[in-house]
Amino acid sequence: ETGVTQTPRHLVMGMTNKKSLKCEQHLGHNAMYWYKQSAKKPLELMFVYNFKEQTENNSVPSRFSPECPNSSHLFLHLHTLQPEDSALYLCASSQEAVGTSIQYNEQFFGPGTRLTVL
Amino acid sequence: ILNVEQSPQSLHVQEGDSTNFTCSFPSSNFYALHWYRWETAKSPEALFVMTLNGDEKKKGRISATLNTKEGYSYLYIKGSQPEDSATYLCAFVDYKLSFGAGTTVTVRA
């Protein structure tokens, strides 16, 4: 596999379920990101990890819990979601940057997980 | 909340015609401006990362310019082809990255 992969591609879950989204990058990057895209809204950055450490959490509700066990893998654990959380969740990676914003570097995106919360 | 605005929201272009559209962003605390192309059912793909005022970048028939003092960037498509149909996103970087809503380009054969 090359690039950035995400599984599953589609997920339907009830509000009481617990599920996880997985992202894997094969690019040798050390920075990884979760984005959310709701209908008719811009991409919203949720979390940023740099060298496995969370460097940014953009006021995301605690029902979304990220995990980055190593620089190649990123998870988003979901529990007690709301219907308004239905969206496309995109993962991305980039080269790390030292001394400046890591979002300075171009990002490589996965195909996304289309999440529907019933 | 940063205002990164893209205009127009959508446009239709005849095959062979050239077109351009705009990304507007705050002119303070500028680090970088990204452009991405997002085709339907695919992943967003980076086109350019621009960092210097007056930057001009080119990739095939697509080019971009940057004016950080007045806070805008233009993306140009020369001789549009059907495969150029996509949503073009810009993203402004100060201490974080903020995306615009995109310009959706449809090229008619």
Side-chain angles (χ1 to χ4, degrees), chain A residues 50-97:
Chain A
N50 195 28
F51 289 97
K52 303 187 295 178
E53 298 297 318
Q54 187 181 117
T55 58
E56 192 160 338
N57 174 340
N58 281 324
S59 304
V60 180
S62 59
R63 57 186 184 269
F64 294 91
S65 174
E67 179 190 0
C68 189
N70 55 62
S71 292
S72 299
H73 293 87
L74 185 64
F75 295 90
L76 189 62
H77 304 299
L78 316 171
H79 64 98
T80 58
L81 294 192
Q82 304 297 311
E84 59 265 28
D85 297 321
S86 298
L88 179 69
Y89 289 85
L90 285 168
C91 172
S93 70
S94 72
Q95 290 182 329
E96 70 281 3

Side-chain angles (χ1 to χ4, degrees), chain B:
Chain B
I1 297 176
L2 286 174
N3 284 327
V4 182
E5 297 186 358
Q6 293 189 245
S7 64
Q9 187 175 3
S10 64
L11 60 92
H12 294 258
V13 188
Q14 197 66 35
E15 183 177 359
D17 288 350
S18 297
T19 188
N20 65 84
F21 38 93
T22 309
C23 173
S24 302
F25 50 86
S27 54
S28 57
N29 299 319
F30 177 90
Y31 275 109
L33 192 286
H34 296 210
W35 279 103
Y36 293 86
R37 173 170 57 200
W38 195 357
E39 296 178 64
T40 303
K42 293 188 177 181
S43 309
E45 172 194 2
L47 289 172
F48 308 113
V49 176
M50 308 178 78
T51 57
L52 297 174
N53 185 44
D55 246 359
E56 289 189 32
K57 298 226 173 179
K58 188 174 180 182
K59 189 173 187 176
R61 292 177 293 96
I62 300 177
S63 60
T65 60
L66 178 67
N67 184 323
T68 61
K69 295 185 189 303
E70 296 183 38
Y72 65 84
S73 176
Y74 292 134
L75 193 84
Y76 300 87
I77 305 176
K78 184 178 177 182
S80 303
Q81 299 297 309
E83 59 264 29
D84 297 326
S85 296
T87 296
Y88 292 81
L89 303 174
C90 69
F92 168 74
V93 182
D94 52 357
Y95 63 94
K96 61 188 284 185
L97 188 148
S98 301
F99 276 87
T103 294
T104 298
V105 175
T106 304
V107 181
R108 296 178 288 214

